[in-house]
Amino acid sequence: DAKTTQPPSMDCAEGRAANLPCNHSTISGNEYVYWYRQIHSQGPQYIIHGLKNNETNEMASLIITEDRKSSTLILPHATLRDTAVYYCIVRVGDYGQNFVFGPGTRLSVLP
Amino acid sequence: DAGVTQSPTHLIKTRGQQVTLRCSPKSGHDTVSWYQQALGQGPQFIFQYYEEEERQRGNFPDRFSGHQFPNYSSELNVNALLLGDSALYLCASSLVVAGELFFGEGSRLTVL
């Protein structure tokens, strides 16, 4: 089972910031939080990942709470092309590769 | 630089048949993982290959098997196909064992 919980769906107006929450209350100290997204019928696309500190790249920002029990993915200026299913994943496994995907959040960016 | 490539993109099989799906990892990547994604669900981990050996396996029966070749490419084999095997099969590769995954576009299998 996935170690994260996300809302099943969210809407966001085009041009506004999209804030996608994720709860991972059982996360271990050495486990990273990863975010991927999947546009219809395509392979998942890596967005960002972090351990403790907030992270930012050209696609998004990741805010992790101090107790690491939850995080928020921020798309600063959502466009219609950001409409996708967003997956929050806590990496598990001895080799760190067994990503466990939950059902994700379906983000709809509305014009 | 080519990303992860998978073939075929679509295929149709009948119950009881066998299928082989192929994956070429991103250049320089040495680890390949396979996922099954049923319609409307998140991807489910099947297994991972590193140094030509299966390193981890998810909750899938022995009908699902794989192989990794010296050039790091990989195959997924499914025997005795069931209707429930209809899904998008995703291959993902990474640079090192504990790196982020890069996914291919998948092979969509339909079992009739």
Side-chain angles (χ1 to χ4, degrees), chain A residues 76-96:
Chain A
H77 305 286
T79 71
L80 298 179
R81 289 176 295 179
D82 292 322
T83 293
V85 178
Y86 287 76
Y87 297 101
C88 170
I89 303 156
V90 170
R91 189 179 66 182
V92 300
D94 293 342
Y95 288 85

Side-chain angles (χ1 to χ4, degrees), chain B residues 38-91:
Chain B
L39 197 62
Q41 299 181 18
Q44 302 297 307
F45 175 73
I46 303 175
F47 43 53
Q48 173 202 83
Y49 277 85
Y50 173 64
E51 292 184 331
E52 302 180 47
E53 291 188 12
E54 183 181 297
R55 298 291 180 169
Q56 293 189 74
R57 189 179 184 92
N59 188 25
F60 279 81
D62 292 343
R63 298 187 298 109
F64 290 77
S65 63
H67 188 78
Q68 186 180 34
F69 299 95
N71 67 353
Y72 307 119
S73 66
S74 177
E75 287 182 350
L76 164 66
N77 300 292
V78 186
N79 295 321
L81 285 168
L82 304 173
L83 295 180
D85 295 331
S86 294
L88 180 67
Y89 288 85
L90 295 161
C91 172

